[in-house]
Amino acid sequence: MAVMTILGAINHTLDQQMEKDDSIVLLGEDVGFEGGVFRVTKGLQQKYGKDRSIDTPLAEAAIIGSSIGMAMNGLKPISEMQFSGFMFDGYNQLVSHAARMRNRTRGTYNLPMVVRMPYGGGIRALEHHSESLEVLFAHIPGLKLVIPSTPYDAKGLLASAIADPDPVIFFEPKRLYRAFKQEVPEKDYKVEIGKARVVQKGDDITVVAWGALMPEAIKAIKLLEDQDISVELIDLRTIAPWDRKTVVESVKKTGRFLVVHEAYTSFGPGAEMISVINEQAFLYLEAPPTRLGGADITIPLPKGEHHFIITPEQIADKIKDVVKF
Amino acid sequence: MLTTKFDPLKDKMLQVLDPKGKVVDAKLEPKIDDETLIKMYETMLLGRTADTKALQYQRQGRMLTYAPIKGQEAAQVGVAAALGKEDWFVPAFREMAALLYKGAPLKQLYLYWYGNEEGNHFDPDLKILPISVPIASQINHAAGIAYASKIQKKEEVTVAYVGDGGTSHGEFHEGVNFGAVFNLPMITVIQNNQFAISTPRSVQSKAKNLATKAVGYGIPGIVVDGNDPLAMYIATVEARERALKGDGPTLIEAVTYRLGPHTTSDDPTIYRDEKDFKDAETKDPLIRFKQYLIDKKLWSDEKDEEKIKEFTDYSNKIFKEVEETGLVDLDDVFDYQYETLPPHIEEQRQRAKERGGK
Ligand SMILES: Cc1ncc(C[n+]2csc(CCOP(=O)(O)OP(=O)(O)O)c2C)c(N)n1
């Protein structure tokens, strides 16, 4: 066992997988020589060479588009969008081609490719560096989207993403990159895509969160310690396809549901989850299933970001509201 | 025509002042009045001083991520000085000196990097577009502005900036090509500062120089010594005349060197060649332009020191104002989303207020 941050766990996993599988290549802006602006890929070009850890021209369509070609011709590309807010020029390639190639070619070509990108706010960054764009991927048939919240899951989910025969978007909660450390096994292991993790068992309400908001949800539960509210907390880990079974079973037990995300509220990931809960657990509900999401405003620059960021206090209040409904 | 005399296909570079501030070809030396020459130099010096201070504020934890301009002052001021008040300026994000010359208040430029949207709230008479972070995307806006100028017969030119990294981007191609196809009054300036973060210029293009890209678009292109404000000035004057005559866009590559980090989160010593860096320092645009003005008896070392002190005090004063007033109000983050805020977002605002948001 080694103690690692999320960032360290991603670096370690890329290293471990590249060592094992020559067909894996990394590509993106600044990922090679300097190891990316966050240093997630640090040292990998030095170890595996320039052919397998590529500093590309500044061009997201080329990064994702060429990844598609690589994946069709025997490689397993792991590309990086420097920030999720800059993926839009590559988005055309993802939606128009990556998501469709298997279906379009009747299964002749599947695309074992991973697109990594840091996402989310709270790091006092410039414009376009703070968005939570889960739904732009989760909405598209043919794509998968995973988001770890711990070093352990970062390793296991990334290993699964790399092994997956279809394109996987791997969101990295950059606010947590170096926020805390955890023991991570040295051995190669996987965390199954599409499987949520019950972080804490409880009877009164099911709270679902993921990524950068997991620690906030945990803090919120601490704030409620003297309130006699028993919370079941679920780390969703995969947004598409999300683990309906675990969540629905939990709601059937607790009768209450709250989903928390930094993504904009309207048409956000919570809307989909609440629909499914209404469809599959309606008769078990003691309160309307509820969401707490980012306000429907452009995420502000740092000096106004506190108006947007979701705090443990807000989450705790929302839990109380749902339980007291 | 400069663009034929300095043919990018022959890898020629336009230069008026050498690194020591000597005029290399008297026929090229522009006739700029003394007042303008001094304004150009003072703006470069203010840009340099405000830039140095911004880095310091950042290191003291008072400023957020900041993208320095050190070394690129001539590539900016040489162009801005050749523009009219009526001309549009479309920045990327590393053009502080050009924006200052165009009339943007330092307070706003600081506010932006302080993390406040007010930093982009320019007086519309300045005809400055907001900072554009998504690389190269702004060139298409410039093309649209220039298209509107053309069909509305407005006597104005649009200048768009982009970095060397930006020339690899699809949007660069789309924007420059759009301007060329419709013969628009538009100038695209590539600030080739040799790096896109850690990625060297050589990774962006196999072409010898970036101005040759103009050939493929069917428009004139020129490589200019971007550390020479007079060369940048005459290249822009010619491009502007061409644009106003209806002869279409020009692509200017300003060859310069980023003497600072990419942003305050970057450490250039990891990837840059220290010999190149030392060499670039000797080509500093301020050194050569100062010498030129001293030779013309328009400036002196004493004056320089005086001005640096004045600009330092000025930067400190402005930044203090920024710190005193720079927080963003709750209403501000809601007010500009739409002309009329939809009711569900209005509700979100009210709830944020009930929670004590201000
Ligand atoms: C579309 C897009 N992709 C990635 C980024 C992240 N990024 C910010 S600056 C930069 C490098 C830009 O290099 P260049 O165009 O040469 O301009 P310079 O920073 O040198 O002024 C990158 C990759 C971005 N802002 N936009």
Side-chain angles (χ1 to χ4, degrees):
Chain A
M1 290 271 217
V3 175
M4 293 179 196
T5 59
I6 287 184
L7 187 139
I10 297 170
N11 179 276
H12 153 81
T13 310
L14 291 170
D15 186 5
Q16 190 168 56
Q17 298 297 325
M18 287 178 86
E19 175 111 52
K20 206 175 76 169
D21 182 350
D22 282 347
S23 68
I24 295 174
V25 296
L26 308 180
L27 68 158
E29 293 152 12
D30 306 289
V31 304
F33 182 76
E34 82 160 3
V37 293
F38 288 103
R39 308 291 182 265
V40 176
T41 51
K42 193 174 169 196
L44 299 173
Q45 184 180 74
Q46 288 71 14
K47 186 159 172 193
Y48 298 102
K50 284 187 178 177
D51 286 348
R52 292 187 63 201
S53 177
I54 312 163
D55 280 317
T56 66
L58 203 173
E60 289 78 12
I63 294 167
I64 296 185
S66 69
S67 294
I68 293 172
M70 292 177 193
M72 292 172 82
N73 194 19
L75 297 179
K76 289 199 186 104
I78 304 176
S79 63
E80 176 182 289
M81 298 285 101
Q82 204 159 70
F83 288 86
S84 67
F86 300 132
M87 65 82 195
F88 289 100
D89 292 282
Y91 191 60
N92 176 40
Q93 286 289 346
L94 272 176
V95 177
S96 305
H97 296 299
R100 291 164 175 252
M101 198 58 80
R102 176 191 285 278
N103 181 59
R104 182 189 288 150
T105 64
R106 308 282 85 182
T108 304
Y109 290 109
N110 62 300
L111 301 176
M113 59 189 271
V114 178
V115 184
R116 300 176 31 245
M117 55 188 94
Y119 87 100
I123 63 155
R124 298 164 21 111
L126 298 171
E127 201 183 352
H128 309 289
H129 291 70
S130 304
E131 10 289 294
S132 295
L133 302 171
E134 289 91 321
V135 288
L136 299 192
F137 303 98
H139 186 64
I140 305 300
L143 299 181
K144 295 181 179 179
L145 171 62
V146 300
I147 312 182
S149 75
T150 63
Y152 181 91
D153 284 352
K155 175 168 178 178
L157 283 171
L158 183 56
S160 292
I162 293 169
D164 201 282
D166 288 309
V168 180
I169 314 300
F170 189 84
F171 265 28
E172 299 174 2
K174 59 180 172 290
R175 205 197 311 184
L176 304 185
Y177 263 152
R178 296 183 165 91
F180 62 94
K181 291 185 175 175
Q182 187 185 28
E183 296 234 337
V184 174
E186 284 288 349
K187 71 165 196 322
D188 184 8
Y189 65 90
K190 290 194 178 66
V191 167
E192 193 184 332
I193 293 179
K195 266 246 150 311
R197 177 171 67 97
V198 179
V199 178
Q200 162 183 322
K201 287 211 171 289
D203 301 317
D204 298 331
I205 179 170
T206 302
V207 174
V208 167
W210 56 85
L213 284 193
M214 274 316 291
E216 308 305 304
I218 291 167
K219 280 182 222 153
I221 292 169
K222 289 234 168 69
L223 290 175
L224 294 170
E225 249 163 16
D226 56 354
Q227 297 273 325
D228 197 28
I229 299 175
S230 165
V231 178
E232 178 138 310
L233 179 64
I234 296 178
D235 181 348
L236 203 60
R237 302 198 291 195
T238 300
I239 309 302
W242 64 286
D243 187 350
R244 297 172 177 216
K245 186 155 170 284
T246 299
V247 175
V248 169
E249 286 310 313
S250 170
V251 175
K252 282 181 179 171
K253 179 178 73 175
T254 63
R256 298 180 186 87
F257 176 75
L258 172 67
V259 50
V260 187
H261 55 67
E262 202 171 276
Y264 302 131
T265 302
S266 291
F267 302 92
E272 168 65 15
M273 290 162 202
I274 290 170
S275 297
V276 170
I277 283 162
N278 279 327
E279 287 160 8
Q280 301 189 6
F282 190 73
L283 294 176
Y284 298 82
L285 290 172
E286 311 261 356
T290 304
R291 60 190 162 166
L292 175 61
D296 292 312
I297 56 172
T298 307
I299 181 164
L301 290 183
K303 284 297 183 293
E305 203 183 7
H306 58 289
H307 298 306
F308 182 90
I309 290 294
I310 290 172
T311 61
E313 289 73 19
Q314 269 172 272
I315 301 172
D317 286 348
K318 207 70 178 179
I319 292 174
K320 279 192 272 182
D321 287 351
V322 177
V323 173
K324 295 206 184 106
F325 174 80
Chain B
M1 269 208 322
L2 295 170
T3 47
T4 43
K5 194 161 167 218
F6 296 90
D7 183 353
L9 286 174
K10 299 198 179 109
D11 212 20
K12 293 258 177 70
M13 179 170 85
L14 170 65
Q15 189 186 59
V16 178
L17 292 180
D18 71 12
K20 299 224 149 56
K22 298 288 171 247
V23 174
V24 293
D25 179 352
K27 288 200 292 294
L28 291 176
E29 188 182 358
K31 289 178 188 54
I32 302 177
D33 63 65
D34 292 352
E35 201 187 322
T36 305
L37 283 173
I38 291 170
K39 182 179 171 194
M40 287 170 72
Y41 181 69
E42 286 192 354
T43 308
M44 287 167 63
L45 197 59
L46 172 60
R48 173 71 57 97
T49 312
D51 187 75
T52 310
K53 292 305 297 178
L55 275 161
Q56 279 174 14
Y57 304 143
Q58 200 280 340
R59 300 270 130 90
Q60 294 161 351
R62 297 160 67 195
M63 179 83 111
L64 298 168
T65 312
Y66 170 73
I69 61 162
K70 188 177 181 185
Q72 300 180 219
E73 296 86 351
Q76 302 179 11
V77 167
V79 173
L83 300 181
K85 238 182 111 53
E86 65 283 12
D87 294 332
W88 289 85
F89 191 85
V90 181
F93 55 87
R94 198 189 298 285
E95 287 80 23
M96 182 162 74
L99 295 172
L100 286 169
Y101 198 96
K102 196 82 172 75
L106 179 61
K107 181 165 177 191
Q108 272 181 273
L109 304 177
Y110 271 176
L111 263 174
Y112 180 80
W113 299 106
Y114 191 67
N116 184 324
E117 281 82 356
E118 274 301 305
N120 269 328
H121 192 172
F122 296 118
D123 175 349
D125 289 342
L126 295 176
K127 302 178 95 168
I128 295 171
L129 261 63
I131 301 283
S132 173
V133 176
I135 299 295
S137 54
Q138 67 279 1
I139 301 175
N140 280 306
H141 311 156
I145 291 172
Y147 187 90
S149 308
K150 184 180 168 181
I151 70 160
Q152 297 176 99
K153 304 203 165 30
K154 294 180 174 176
E155 291 277 306
E156 60 193 22
V157 170
T158 300
V159 176
Y161 267 67
V162 67
D164 46 305
T167 64
S168 299
H169 212 269
E171 296 240 28
F172 171 86
H173 164 71
E174 295 177 35
V176 176
N177 188 53
F178 194 100
V181 164
F182 294 106
N183 217 35
L184 301 180
M186 171 177 167
I187 303 169
T188 303
V189 178
I190 304 165
Q191 284 199 95
N192 174 5
N193 66 5
Q194 311 303 331
F195 295 100
I197 312 187
S198 71
T199 307
R201 152 66 183 83
S202 57
V203 168
Q204 302 298 345
S205 173
K206 202 175 168 184
K208 259 202 212 140
N209 62 65
L210 299 170
T212 50
K213 291 187 182 236
V215 177
Y217 300 115
I219 63 171
I222 186 166
V223 182
V224 182
D225 182 341
N227 291 346
D228 173 356
L230 299 185
M232 288 305 295
Y233 179 86
I234 61 173
T236 310
V237 166
E238 183 183 282
R240 185 171 180 273
E241 276 167 10
R242 194 160 36 236
L244 287 174
K245 266 201 317 221
D247 290 343
T250 302
L251 182 64
I252 297 176
E253 175 183 0
V255 178
T256 177
Y257 192 97
R258 192 188 76 218
L259 292 173
H262 169 71
T263 66
T264 42
S265 335
D266 174 53
D267 176 7
T269 61
I270 297 177
Y271 54 78
R272 80 180 168 206
D273 182 300
E274 280 312 294
K275 220 175 99 265
D276 289 353
F277 172 64
K278 287 271 172 286
D279 182 51
E281 278 188 316
T282 67
K283 295 179 182 159
D284 188 324
L286 269 81
I287 298 176
R288 83 177 73 172
F289 202 37
K290 183 173 107 181
Q291 193 55 51
Y292 177 71
L293 294 192
I294 289 175
D295 292 346
K296 283 178 96 67
K297 310 254 179 309
L298 293 174
W299 203 258
S300 67
D301 282 322
E302 297 75 61
K303 178 106 187 148
D304 213 60
E305 267 167 44
E306 226 174 80
K307 275 287 161 191
I308 290 173
K309 174 143 191 345
E310 181 190 321
F311 291 151
T312 305
D313 292 345
Y314 178 67
S315 301
N316 284 335
K317 175 175 146 290
I318 297 291
F319 191 65
K320 196 154 168 273
E321 279 176 41
V322 164
E323 284 185 306
E324 280 162 4
T325 58
L327 264 187
V328 175
D329 291 342
L330 177 72
D331 280 328
D332 268 27
V333 305
F334 284 91
D335 278 345
Y336 303 100
Q337 293 295 321
Y338 296 96
E339 173 84 36
T340 313
L341 204 62
H344 72 283
I345 309 182
E346 189 56 57
E347 252 172 56
Q348 292 175 350
R349 179 198 337 233
Q350 290 318 322
R351 259 181 275 133
K353 284 192 174 167
E354 283 158 21
R355 282 200 311 269
K358 283 202 252 323

